[in-house]
Amino acid sequence: MAAHLSSGRVNLTALREAGRRELREFLDKCAGSKAIVWDEYLTGPFGLIAQYSLLKEHEVEKMFTLKPGRLPPADVKNIIFFVRPKLELMDIITDNVLREDRGRSPQRDFHILFVPRRSLLCEQWLKEQGVLGSFIHREQYSLDLIPFDGDLLSMESESAFKECYLESDQTSLYHAAKGLMTLQALYGTIPQIFGKGDCARHVANMMIRMKREFPGSQNSIFPVFDTLLLLDRNVDLLTPLATQLTYEGLIDEIYGIQNTYVKLPPEKFAPKKQGEGGKDLPTEPKKLQLNSAEELYAEIRDKNFNAVGSVLSKKAKIISAAFEERHHAKTVGEIKQFVSQLPHMQAARSSLANHTSIAELIKDITTSEDFFDNLTVEQEFMSGIDTDKVNNYIEDCIAQKHPLIKILRLVCLQSVCNSGLKQKVLDYYKREILQTYGYEHILTLNNLEKAGLLKPQTGGRNNYPTIRKTLRLWMDDVNEQNPNDISYVYSGYAPLSVRLAQLLARPGWRSIEEVLKMLPGPHFEERQQLPTGLQKKRQHGENRVTLVFFLGGVTYAEIAALRFLSQMEDGGTEYVIATTKLINGTTWIKSLMEKLEPAPF
Amino acid sequence: MSRVRADEEEYWHSSKFRAFTFDDEDDELSQLKESKRAVNSLRDIVDDDDDDLERVSWSGEPVGSISWSIKETASGSTSSLDGRDSSLQKGSSSYAALPKQASSYSLSSLFKGRNKLPSFQSLSDALTDTGVKNYAPELRRPRAEYKDYSSDWSPKDTVRRMQRGKVCSLERFRSLQDKLVLLDEAVAGHDGNVITAVLIFLKRTLRREILFRELEVRQVALCHLIHFLREMGEQKFLLDLLRFLDRTEELALSQYREHLNIQDVEKRREFLKGCIGLPFSAEDTSHIQDHYTLLERQIIIEANDRHLEMAGQSELFRKYPRKASILNMPLVTTLFYSCFYHYTEAEGMFSSPTNLKKTFKIPDKQYVLTALAARAKLRAWGDVDALLTTKNWLGYTKKKAPIGFHRVVEILQRNSAPVQVLQEYVRLVEDVETRLNLATKYKCHDVVIETYRDLKDRIQLTAYKCKVERGSAEEEKINSILNN
């Protein structure tokens, strides 16, 4: 089930196991049969830690989604709410509790499990509503870093960027630091910490402080990670705005991957058995899990989409050749061997079928005129062409009322690639957007300005060309099929964040001091002392392991670029990636937009 | 996918798979084009044995995953579900009535006497025996800490305990000095939960002026308080704070944001009127002014048109009933609406397009685009023509399109304009290649033929002959050109 977590250089099963243990212990505190009421947002992340079977072993008999109204009359001793510490959820819980039939017997006991933190504010709220006393256990389950894959951890905190950069609320950084302490408890103290950006500095400070305050946490585990690199998202605002062009990146851009699952339009996925159901196609979206446990997906996920087609057709050849074998199987032994391979072949076959369908769906979009036009403009901006005037395509898109988020992505991209827009250009875009989409979006534009994504150029200086050239962010001769540089993930643009990681490993940041100063926030290095017995004596040719922590989110394309660096021969470094949230330009901008509709209840 | 459009032919060629032949299957299989079909064909051979694979329900959720189980275990009690649904509706109405008490927190009562709750005792009792010595993975709080002592904690210890989710009394911190030390400790811990708790305490126990003054030099705490006030909807307190800090622009935006919570349009309009004088940046001020003016207009137009529509006198409204009210729609949508229903009105009318154009200084381009879309939708081709015609000072007329004629063609085509109308504008597309493309795409034969004639391209012209109907006027035209 969790085999994919142990496939990487660092065995992340241990982290998952620790999470499962904590969950079991909490469940056992509430003796007797139980029903869990879920904050729906949490089922995804929890699904990566535990299956229903684990809950069932601990007497969880029913599970419901959190909704206002009366709770279903399940005959259990305990009702446990698994919720994020949000006030609007407290309102729902209050409603549930107040509507509970007092006369029922036996009475049901209520408990709350806050994920990832217990919140004094929420408890205060519950008290105001007069229900706080109804809860027997109020606990927290610190789901800080959730293992997503063998080399990927995420806190799945969707508002982390907004909180850090708009609201100056550093709580998510506190959780990040705590998550890193947990990791160090399991995988040893990380001797070297590098960082760039204000948030990175904060996290490093907190880690050092926590270590000082809990001397007991000094452990005797041989360090697995050599280096920790903390990167602020606002050091590289550009990358998430560009359309990702890896297979996985495009799936996320188009359909959105949530907690490793993607929902796809069902049309391309015929019913499982032919002749069954006949013509009526399923109307429910097809849901698939995507992770490296699937051999084929692991192979293609990080490729440029243009290189996926050929792999799929090659695989098809191999599989049909394998099935051909049955004609040559003459003896009983041969037939037996063929049959023994069938399950594996069938898995490969269905995996291939799924990915061929997904590739077809994506291809329909990537070959559309609009996708091409959009990409052309993005690539012009990133390579520094015409970033200082109003762009025709953007203007056209506004006139045709394309989705606002698309417009905002492009305008922000232009602004970032020009170190801010000329006042006249900025005013023009603003006016067009407000007139076409509504004046209330002035609030969103303001948020983007505050976050530094959309701003007037100050001092009339555009630093981007210098940064681009020094860090080689734009590569004209990109090889999508057999890449030799990370720029393949955006067909030409090399993600700035990953370039920083690459240059840190070799030849070191000293070589790019000037550019580092142009990027926001401090850069720094810290060392954590290890007892002499734990200091590493590196075997010749053994790779270093670096944990890159993206504070404020990371895209799949950036992950792909880091994996590419890990796999490079003589690269010398393998990367494990952690983040506050897996993002793409759309989800990211959305998180910064002002909520215009009133809350649903 | 690089900037130069990838050679598409080659691109998917690689996956067009022809090599499948199953000699015992039917012939069609040898024609397989894509790997998918090859794969599908293998189904029959293998599909009878699913056991070795992880079982996946149609929605793709592995059977046994948490979200799958919620559906499963919940559906076990369908009748109860129905009951819940109905109560849900009742619930949601009474829900809105739940008071969101904005102020007067009594944290003290929360913090005090907490350890008297039986729950806490049973919890710590249950835990004291278990082994505390659990070195390596320090994932949980040391268990002893579940116990609550009423002894005096230093500000630092208090903050640390709160960070670990423990409850502490803050009432002991009486002097301003103590309170500020507590706040600074909380800020140093970076845990927003604790910072907010301390802020609630300070907010309750300090005079506003003092709290504001102290927060002014504590930016992080200040941000948390602002966030908190916004979250709790304590608008008045927030505005006081921003006013004190002289953060005028933020103050203005915060106040403006309020209009989103006002459902009644009249009230909303009044509110927006009040926003105009707020200290926005110069640029934003004009937008806010426009927002107000627009809503004001919309209210007038809406009242008028609703009346018209109900009376059933206007043919336009009968033929094209309004899908929604125009209230709170963006400016461009409003312009479209007015071009659709009020195109011919005199400029003096609030609902006339020209009036809107003037009042809001809508650029020509935007105006033409919107008007064109509206008139084309009504298939009013005469209006389209007039819209694109300009007279010069000698009285000659000329066709002009600020948005470019290719866009005009696109819009007309989307509204299924007849070829005669379309071709008139295709002809005006300046770029020859674009013109040819559009003309070919929309079968404007005359334009294609004339363009090839002007280019003196006999080969293309000859080739085009097969695209027109045999014996048609177009074929004749081609022949006559070729013969000359």
Side-chain angles (χ1 to χ4, degrees):
Chain A
M1 172 59 219
H4 59 290
L5 297 179
S6 53
S7 57
R9 176 73 186 272
V10 178
N11 187 348
L12 295 179
T13 322
L15 183 62
R16 182 171 178 268
E17 203 33 65
R20 289 163 73 91
R21 190 172 55 231
E22 202 180 342
L23 184 59
R24 279 196 293 261
E25 282 172 12
F26 172 75
L27 290 173
D28 288 344
K29 269 183 206 165
C30 313
S33 60
K34 357 185 169 340
I36 296 179
V37 183
W38 286 93
D39 167 0
E40 212 162 4
Y41 182 87
L42 289 176
T43 57
F46 262 89
L48 298 170
I49 302 280
Q51 295 258 291
Y52 180 51
S53 56
L54 180 143
L55 303 177
K56 211 167 177 182
E57 280 164 25
H58 294 263
E59 297 180 86
V60 175
E61 290 174 2
K62 297 272 177 192
M63 306 220 279
F64 308 106
T65 322
L66 185 62
K67 275 180 196 161
R70 192 191 286 260
L71 287 169
D75 217 356
V76 289
K77 185 157 182 310
N78 300 284
I79 301 270
I80 313 176
F81 295 94
F82 277 36
V83 286
R84 288 167 296 164
K86 292 196 171 257
L87 291 183
E88 61 263 33
L89 299 179
M90 296 307 114
D91 283 347
I92 303 181
I93 292 181
T94 303
D95 193 41
N96 285 167
V97 171
L98 290 177
R99 283 161 181 276
E100 175 78 353
D101 181 9
R102 295 288 150 197
R104 69 174 288 136
S105 75
Q107 283 266 332
R108 301 191 287 190
D109 292 341
F110 293 108
H111 316 272
I112 296 188
L113 186 64
F114 287 111
V115 186
R117 290 291 323 272
R118 195 167 159 180
S119 146
L120 299 169
L121 191 56
C122 286
E123 297 192 353
Q124 167 69 8
W125 191 261
L126 291 173
K127 176 158 180 83
E128 297 274 324
Q129 314 292 343
V131 293
L132 188 71
S134 316
F135 299 98
I136 295 179
H137 291 315
R138 295 187 300 272
E139 304 255 334
Q140 69 178 15
Y141 181 75
S142 37
L143 193 65
D144 287 326
L145 283 167
I146 307 158
F148 270 61
D149 221 314
D151 58 355
L152 180 60
L153 301 159
S154 171
M155 293 166 57
E156 282 310 283
S157 153
E158 50 185 347
S159 51
F161 183 85
K162 184 180 183 190
E163 284 166 10
C164 288
Y165 298 97
L166 275 191
E167 288 152 3
S168 304
D169 176 347
Q170 290 158 357
T171 308
S172 57
L173 301 181
Y174 173 77
H175 293 309
K178 276 192 51 181
L180 282 164
M181 296 311 279
T182 306
L183 270 191
Q184 292 191 97
L186 290 168
Y187 300 102
T189 304
I190 307 174
Q192 250 186 331
I193 305 177
F194 291 92
K196 169 72 188 164
D198 286 321
C199 294
R201 183 68 263 185
H202 277 307
V203 171
N205 287 349
M206 277 188 268
M207 286 172 69
I208 292 162
R209 187 184 150 124
M210 286 174 185
K211 198 179 169 208
R212 205 176 48 228
E213 286 176 4
F214 303 97
S217 63
Q218 183 63 265
N219 63 46
S220 52
I221 296 170
F222 200 80
V224 176
F225 297 103
D226 299 278
T227 309
L228 166 65
L229 169 59
L230 295 161
L231 279 178
D232 271 35
R233 184 72 272 174
N234 86 332
V235 169
D236 172 14
L237 294 171
L238 195 166
T239 304
L241 293 169
T243 304
Q244 310 170 67
L245 297 177
T246 57
Y247 181 55
E248 188 167 44
L250 276 167
I251 296 177
D252 188 41
E253 293 276 350
I254 298 167
Y255 298 106
I257 302 174
Q258 270 173 357
N259 301 301
T260 74
Y261 284 92
V262 66
K263 280 183 185 165
L264 299 158
E267 298 80 34
K268 296 248 179 190
F269 301 88
K272 220 164 178 250
K273 296 230 160 100
Q274 279 157 352
E276 198 179 86
K279 274 178 199 144
D280 30 51
L281 287 166
T283 46
E284 225 180 289
K286 168 93 171 163
K287 198 167 168 187
L288 285 175
Q289 187 170 27
L290 302 172
N291 63 35
S292 55
E294 190 182 347
E295 206 179 305
L296 175 63
Y297 188 62
E299 187 179 339
I300 57 176
R301 66 194 303 183
D302 300 319
K303 289 191 183 303
N304 185 294
F305 184 61
N306 278 345
V308 168
S310 62
V311 176
L312 290 181
S313 86
K314 241 177 258 158
K315 289 279 161 187
K317 263 185 220 166
I318 293 168
I319 290 178
S320 38
F323 279 104
E324 274 303 281
E325 290 282 304
R326 74 186 190 282
H327 297 297
H328 308 299
K330 296 282 188 306
T331 69
V332 175
E334 281 167 351
I335 291 170
K336 207 172 164 188
Q337 195 187 343
F338 178 81
V339 169
S340 74
Q341 283 169 353
L342 265 180
H344 177 76
M345 287 161 68
Q346 195 226 346
R349 194 267 314 152
S350 84
S351 164
L352 181 62
N354 283 338
H355 289 291
T356 309
S357 301
I358 298 174
E360 280 175 351
L361 286 167
I362 293 177
K363 195 196 132 216
D364 286 347
I365 290 177
T366 56
T367 51
S368 72
E369 201 174 327
D370 192 60
F371 185 89
F372 176 73
D373 291 345
N374 185 70
L375 193 63
T376 308
V377 171
E378 282 183 12
Q379 302 205 334
E380 278 173 8
F381 288 160
M382 290 190 289
S383 53
I385 300 170
D386 286 344
T387 51
D388 59 350
K389 52 186 182 203
V390 172
N391 180 280
N392 274 333
Y393 174 72
I394 297 181
E395 218 185 344
D396 276 0
C397 288
I398 296 175
Q400 291 171 46
K401 245 188 154 181
H402 284 211
L404 177 59
I405 291 188
K406 173 185 173 175
I407 309 292
L408 295 177
R409 264 180 92 159
L410 282 170
V411 175
C412 290
L413 183 70
Q414 183 176 358
S415 171
V416 173
C417 291
N418 199 52
S419 307
L421 295 168
K422 281 188 180 155
Q423 191 68 49
K424 248 180 78 186
V425 177
L426 181 60
D427 289 347
Y428 181 82
Y429 280 139
K430 267 187 167 180
R431 190 169 198 90
E432 290 275 298
I433 289 170
L434 296 179
Q435 292 191 339
T436 309
Y437 297 92
Y439 290 105
E440 60 276 17
H441 292 288
I442 205 167
L443 297 165
T444 292
L445 295 179
N446 237 278
N447 287 350
L448 295 174
E449 208 162 316
K450 236 169 142 184
L453 278 160
L454 183 64
K455 56 176 189 185
Q457 204 179 69
T458 45
R461 249 192 87 74
N462 179 4
N463 284 330
Y464 179 69
T466 317
I467 298 171
R468 187 186 72 233
K469 280 174 209 147
T470 317
L471 299 181
R472 294 181 301 123
L473 297 186
W474 185 261
M475 307 295 274
D476 272 320
D477 48 347
V478 59
N479 186 339
E480 291 166 346
Q481 304 292 330
N482 298 299
N484 48 15
D485 180 74
I486 56 169
S487 54
Y488 84 91
V489 297
Y490 287 97
S491 292
Y493 165 72
L496 193 161
S497 56
V498 182
R499 202 58 114 199
L500 288 180
Q502 187 183 14
L503 289 166
L504 177 67
R506 196 182 290 169
W509 275 358
R510 202 153 295 175
S511 60
I512 50 164
E513 284 278 340
E514 284 307 305
V515 166
L516 283 175
K517 278 185 200 143
M518 289 177 185
L519 298 169
H523 57 282
F524 60 89
E525 178 182 355
E526 297 282 352
R527 280 176 190 278
Q528 304 199 87
Q529 280 304 318
L530 292 176
T532 33
L534 294 180
Q535 277 162 19
K536 225 175 189 175
K537 288 176 202 76
R538 196 174 314 283
Q539 303 290 314
H540 181 71
E542 190 191 326
N543 282 343
R544 302 171 57 83
V545 180
T546 295
L547 174 66
V548 187
F549 202 129
F550 289 85
L551 301 163
V554 68
T555 64
Y556 287 99
E558 284 169 302
I559 295 168
L562 283 168
R563 284 185 183 142
F564 170 78
L565 292 178
S566 291
Q567 282 155 16
M568 258 190 359
E569 268 176 62
D570 74 356
T573 307
E574 280 179 58
Y575 293 93
V576 174
I577 301 126
T579 184
T580 51
K581 176 89 178 91
L582 292 160
I583 57 165
N584 59 47
T586 301
T587 58
W588 191 40
I589 295 281
K590 212 176 199 166
S591 78
L592 291 170
M593 287 173 79
E594 200 71 28
K595 280 184 215 81
L596 295 177
E597 289 95 51
F601 48 82
Chain B
M1 241 175 299
S2 76
R3 204 137 32 104
V4 190
R5 195 194 278 254
D7 189 348
E8 257 176 54
E9 285 289 298
E10 199 181 273
Y11 170 49
W12 276 97
H13 223 183
S14 47
S15 69
K16 280 183 183 159
F17 202 68
R18 292 166 208 281
F20 287 119
T21 36
F22 291 91
D23 26 33
D24 55 346
E25 309 274 352
D26 66 48
D27 250 9
E28 208 201 306
L29 283 172
S30 59
Q31 298 290 317
L32 281 178
K33 277 205 303 190
E34 302 226 349
S35 48
K36 166 135 183 221
R37 298 188 44 200
V39 164
N40 285 345
S41 70
L42 297 172
R43 262 184 193 143
D44 313 331
I45 317 175
V46 274
D47 247 11
D48 32 18
D49 190 2
D50 266 346
D51 288 353
D52 287 277
L53 292 164
E54 190 176 348
R55 292 209 300 143
V56 174
S57 63
W58 165 250
S59 66
E61 208 95 56
V63 172
S65 80
I66 286 177
S67 30
W68 175 83
S69 315
I70 289 181
K71 280 177 222 145
E72 276 306 292
T73 62
S75 67
S77 49
T78 4
S79 58
S80 70
L81 260 182
D82 293 344
R84 184 172 60 164
D85 277 347
S86 62
S87 69
L88 201 160
Q89 270 154 17
K90 274 180 262 149
S92 51
S93 62
S94 76
Y95 212 66
L98 279 179
K100 273 212 174 189
Q101 270 171 305
S103 57
S104 79
Y105 288 99
S106 48
L107 258 199
S108 59
S109 46
L110 167 70
F111 289 143
K112 268 195 258 164
R114 167 64 71 83
N115 48 3
K116 283 184 201 136
L117 287 174
S119 57
F120 244 83
Q121 238 139 40
S122 66
L123 217 175
S124 44
D125 288 348
L127 288 169
T128 35
D129 284 342
T130 35
V132 184
K133 283 195 175 179
N134 180 6
Y135 280 129
E138 252 270 353
L139 297 182
R140 276 150 285 121
R141 290 154 275 159
R143 274 126 191 216
E145 289 187 16
Y146 279 105
K147 285 189 185 162
D148 198 279
Y149 299 99
S150 55
S151 56
D152 283 355
W153 299 98
S154 70
K156 192 172 190 162
D157 288 334
T158 306
V159 165
R160 244 196 262 169
R161 290 168 57 76
M162 285 166 79
Q163 280 187 344
R164 265 164 257 154
K166 287 227 38 172
V167 171
C168 296
S169 162
L170 300 181
E171 297 298 310
R172 302 182 301 101
F173 299 98
R174 291 218 177 80
S175 72
L176 176 62
Q177 181 64 23
D178 283 354
K179 288 174 185 170
L180 293 176
V181 172
L182 182 68
L183 179 62
D184 290 338
E185 277 299 333
V187 168
H190 295 282
D191 183 352
N193 187 24
V194 177
I195 300 174
T196 307
V198 172
L199 282 168
I200 297 173
F201 169 65
L202 295 192
K203 177 168 168 279
R204 192 172 53 79
T205 59
L206 288 178
R207 276 221 316 278
R208 266 189 202 192
E209 308 83 76
I210 298 175
L211 178 65
F212 290 176
R213 190 189 68 213
E214 294 300 337
L215 287 181
E216 197 172 7
V217 292
R218 290 173 173 80
Q219 285 298 312
V220 174
L222 180 63
C223 291
H224 279 270
L225 184 63
I226 292 174
H227 181 48
F228 168 77
L229 294 171
R230 202 163 275 162
E231 193 92 329
M232 305 294 277
E234 293 194 43
Q235 188 68 7
K236 200 176 161 309
F237 198 101
L238 176 64
L239 296 179
D240 283 349
L241 176 59
L242 294 173
R243 207 168 289 129
F244 174 86
L245 297 168
D246 219 24
R247 290 204 191 165
T248 52
E249 230 180 291
E250 206 176 326
L251 172 73
L253 283 167
S254 261
Q255 204 150 343
Y256 169 73
R257 180 182 288 111
E258 272 295 283
H259 86 266
L260 293 167
N261 299 325
I262 305 173
Q263 295 305 316
D264 182 86
V265 274
E266 289 290 345
K267 284 192 188 133
R268 190 183 259 212
R269 188 195 57 184
E270 275 313 300
F271 185 88
L272 286 173
K273 192 175 184 183
C275 288
I276 295 172
L278 295 174
F280 291 101
S281 68
E283 181 67 19
D284 286 354
T285 303
S286 77
H287 294 315
I288 304 295
Q289 166 84 52
D290 282 354
H291 191 175
Y292 164 72
T293 316
L294 179 64
L295 186 58
E296 191 184 33
R297 292 294 171 82
Q298 286 172 339
I299 291 173
I300 297 169
I301 299 172
E302 175 68 22
N304 226 337
D305 289 1
R306 196 182 319 130
H307 182 78
L308 264 177
E309 193 174 37
M310 300 245 280
Q313 305 283 333
S314 155
E315 198 193 333
L316 195 54
F317 282 104
R318 266 209 316 268
K319 215 167 150 193
Y320 304 96
R322 305 187 308 156
K323 289 194 188 90
S325 114
I326 192 63
L327 295 171
N328 296 317
M329 291 293 167
L331 174 62
V332 171
T333 313
T334 312
L335 178 64
F336 180 88
Y337 175 95
S338 113
C339 287
F340 195 89
Y341 290 111
H342 304 279
Y343 194 62
T344 51
E345 271 168 26
E347 202 186 308
M349 304 285 285
F350 275 154
S351 45
S352 94
T354 29
N355 189 308
L356 284 175
K357 179 173 189 257
K358 268 222 170 111
T359 311
F360 296 96
K361 301 192 191 70
I362 298 172
D364 241 10
K365 220 168 163 181
Q366 183 68 270
Y367 178 80
V368 170
L369 207 62
T370 311
L372 193 66
R375 299 325 286 169
K377 192 160 188 113
L378 285 167
R379 308 177 66 82
W381 311 123
D383 290 341
V384 169
D385 187 66
L387 187 68
L388 300 171
T389 306
T390 51
K391 255 192 201 139
N392 72 3
W393 58 280
L394 282 175
Y396 292 119
T397 59
K398 204 185 157 209
K399 288 272 190 294
K400 227 179 100 184
I403 53 172
F405 281 103
H406 64 286
R407 292 290 301 284
V408 174
V409 172
E410 243 170 64
I411 293 169
L412 294 180
Q413 198 275 331
R414 222 178 299 143
N415 290 290
S416 35
V419 176
Q420 297 88 310
V421 174
L422 215 50
Q423 113 177 344
E424 191 180 336
Y425 300 101
V426 173
R427 192 171 277 136
L428 293 167
V429 174
E430 263 189 42
D431 180 65
V432 177
E433 202 181 318
T434 320
R435 191 194 317 152
L436 269 174
N437 273 340
L438 288 172
T440 318
K441 197 159 145 197
Y442 302 132
K443 301 202 165 61
C444 302
H445 299 308
D446 279 349
V447 182
V448 179
I449 295 165
E450 286 159 26
T451 309
Y452 283 136
R453 182 194 63 202
D454 296 346
L455 291 172
K456 302 199 170 24
D457 192 336
R458 288 188 72 89
I459 300 167
Q460 288 290 351
L461 198 55
T462 319
Y464 197 73
K465 223 161 82 169
C466 64
K467 298 234 173 99
V468 300
E469 254 176 74
R470 218 158 249 264
S472 66
E474 287 89 4
E475 196 191 35
E476 226 164 88
K477 192 166 173 183
I478 295 177
N479 285 333
S480 84
I481 294 169
L482 287 175
N483 291 336
N484 274 328

